[in-house]
Amino acid sequence: MGNHYDKQKKPTHVLTVENWENDEIYALLERAQSFQTSSRSFIHEQLFAANLFFEPSTRTKISFEAAERKLGLQVLPFEANTSSIKKGETLYDTVKTLESIGVDVVVIRHSQERYFDELMDAIHIPIINGGDGCGHHPTQSFLDLLTIQQEFQTFEDVNIVIAGDISHSRVARSNIYLLERLGAKVYVAGPKEWMSEEWMARYVTMDEAVEIADVMMMLRIQHERHAVKMVAGPAEYHETYGLTVEREKRMKPTSIIMHPAPINRGVEIASELVECERSRIFKQMTNGVYVRMAVLEYVLERR
Amino acid sequence: MGNHYDKQKKPTHVLTVENWENDEIYALLERAQSFQTSSRSFIHEQLFAANLFFEPSTRTKISFEAAERKLGLQVLPFEANTSSIKKGETLYDTVKTLESIGVDVVVIRHSQERYFDELMDAIHIPIINGGDGCGHHPTQSFLDLLTIQQEFQTFEDVNIVIAGDISHSRVARSNIYLLERLGAKVYVAGPKEWMSEEWMARYVTMDEAVEIADVMMMLRIQHERHAVKMVAGPAEYHETYGLTVEREKRMKPTSIIMHPAPINRGVEIASELVECERSRIFKQMTNGVYVRMAVLEYVLERR
Amino acid sequence: MGNHYDKQKKPTHVLTVENWENDEIYALLERAQSFQTSSRSFIHEQLFAANLFFEPSTRTKISFEAAERKLGLQVLPFEANTSSIKKGETLYDTVKTLESIGVDVVVIRHSQERYFDELMDAIHIPIINGGDGCGHHPTQSFLDLLTIQQEFQTFEDVNIVIAGDISHSRVARSNIYLLERLGAKVYVAGPKEWMSEEWMARYVTMDEAVEIADVMMMLRIQHERHAVKMVAGPAEYHETYGLTVEREKRMKPTSIIMHPAPINRGVEIASELVECERSRIFKQMTNGVYVRMAVLEYVLERR
């Protein structure tokens, strides 16, 4: 604890996904899948984790916490709103403090994009990015991949439509990049105001989307993260860009619905569809724990 | 974890007490009493609990947490004010998320009366009600029963006066119903504005109360839960409806004082009486842990 | 748990340091030092700790938490801002509640100086003071001592300059008293407005300080704890009273820099010096865990 890490050896961080090779990704997904049947891991000493969430979260924070406990880690509670950040302490000094106190791995969510740039070379313990502004959210990307792989056993030629607020999503850009590299065909749908030029070649309407998609990957409207006036009222948005009860009926028999949650019921997706037969929304959450176990193990075994 | 529960089998919730048979109650109290001497329980696997408290609490939350730890459960921290509830997520989606992440039992306190109606049939893990608005608070009722039983070995013909803000109490109505069913004689005291018609047959003044009571069960004035202008200033309330130092002197030698706490010292009870010889107030808190261990074990062994 | 303590036996609290004999201090530091190589302790039963922090803290709270976990204690989470303190419960009733629930040791930080006076004789479980207003912070004093002892193997004739906001510091007065009793030579530096009459005999300017000091013990400017208008702007303060890059160059080859953190970078100390060769700032945090383990063990083995 604390003093046991090797200051000469650089820690393995997981900050973004773009730098992961395909075979590394497949290995990670395989390890995650194995946790579905057994939590046994290589960790046998007392190790400490801390989860620094500077933005509200239920799912990701508690999912990391469950993953940590299942691996046998001790979790030191950290509440941003009662921490010394209140006294003006920098993020760097806070993380360095945790390192000094003996924390072995930190998970950080922070509203500032690429908050980790100032940390990655100076901190001697692994950092797992739990979400940076509109930037990245690697464990969410991995759990999305695992959910698709469980369904189709491959990414080759799977048609995936990512629908909604792509420009403010932490995972949309990473997922487009990764999924295409793994062989999937990716489309985008949603308000054109939320698309950048480069994505327009993949653009389909929602009515086209539901007919071609093997996977309808709905995104959350990030009310809290952008000031952009919503392109329409909730009901009108649902009608034009949402996954309505009517549209779901036109989906292929084997296609599935995904959503990272929390869900705005009746906006991006009809409330009735949240737990329908083809929904994998809660399955994604279950997979999230396995993926996070695999990522935690990955960085800890490389200490 | 998560996937291990049987989706066909309905979980056993503990939401209210009215549906408990007398023999079930006696069995629960016996099990709770046994935890006073040994924490040994049937739980040997890694199980996860989460405590969702949407209202302030010291006692109940930390008491459940202690009970969970003593049973060997892992407790996943959940802070309502940093959760996705802040992003507008429904209570149902939050609980479903915890279920998906692998939580095995949830304890919920919520300001909305009968918040559990929308959860009980759709959630596959047991829910223990830690208090719903002015509705119910089953583990508080059980710990009150245990405290009385420890003292008198029976409920038959024990005279119990429930005094104070009955209309806004989470336990008064349940306790009146249960205690009478178990053979006790129940009276009520306090401001008539806080009594409903049905209770007036049991009404006594505080001066009468202290002379007949074997148990003076004081209630807390729920400042935070009702807008009703207080019937009197604190000093005047204490004089007319409180358990004053003078009134305590007229109590029977063997009678006891109870209060669910937190206490408004000098209002419903004189500060000097909080730890007097006949006070069982802190004993109630100790009993709370045992009762919660018994309730947790009860729902978990019926999974 | 709870019922196991002996109500006749007074618990051993750690509230201030002035009452500690030199040999007791040396024994504690030796025990703390031993935890650097092994966490093995005498604690083998399930014991519960609770950390009641009524003021923001990262370091101290999480350091106690790490110490508790390393000793094998269960830590019951307590969040002041969601507790019954919000409902007007007194500190005494809150601590008595924790005692009743079965907590075996409490750590308390509170803005009220000597908050513990009303607790120490009535509470049956040990209290460790995690900071009271501008009063005391014994574990910080002990970790400062340990850090100096590790460096110089003795306190005899070590020159220590305590620089900065002495009047509002929780540790400055205790440290002056203890260090002198242990044989060190103590000086003070900083704005004269923050010095009391009695300290003026030890007063040196910052330019004198850096040349005589074996230890430059910088204090934090307690913005949040005093309304005193700052004696100067941050840049001007740094120039006159801070440890600047220029001043550091004039320090003796073997002398060290200490700071309790959180640090106001560029005010009391130049940002570049925080992790310089002679800084022991993060080492202090590592020592904090060992010292707290020793203090927790000390009070628990005296139950």
Side-chain angles (χ1 to χ4, degrees), chain A residues 86-87, chain C residues 55-56 170 220-227 262 264:
Chain A
K86 286 265 173 193
K87 300 184 191 167
Chain C
E55 290 191 311
R170 278 167 175 153
R220 180 165 196 278
I221 298 182
Q222 303 283 354
H223 296 302
E224 71 282 5
R225 208 172 309 141
H226 62 87
N264 298 302

Side-chain angles (χ1 to χ4, degrees), chain A residues 66-80:
Chain A
E68 289 153 357
R69 306 282 192 96
K70 289 197 83 176
L71 287 176
L73 302 179
Q74 292 274 334
V75 187
L76 289 178
F78 179 89
E79 289 300 328

Side-chain angles (χ1 to χ4, degrees), chain B residues 225-236:
Chain B
R225 208 171 310 142
H226 61 88
V228 175
K229 178 163 98 43
M230 206 170 131
V231 292
E236 194 188 331

Side-chain angles (χ1 to χ4, degrees), chain B residues 57-59 69 265 275 286, chain C residues 74-75 84 89 92-93 97:
Chain B
S57 166
T58 295
R59 223 163 320 281
R69 306 284 192 95
R265 283 172 176 262
E275 294 181 71
T286 306
Chain C
Q74 292 274 335
V75 187
S84 287
E89 189 171 51
Y92 175 83
D93 285 346
T97 294

Side-chain angles (χ1 to χ4, degrees), chain A residues 228-240:
Chain A
V228 176
K229 180 164 97 43
M230 206 171 131
V231 292
E236 194 188 329
Y237 182 93
H238 186 61
E239 203 49 54
T240 316

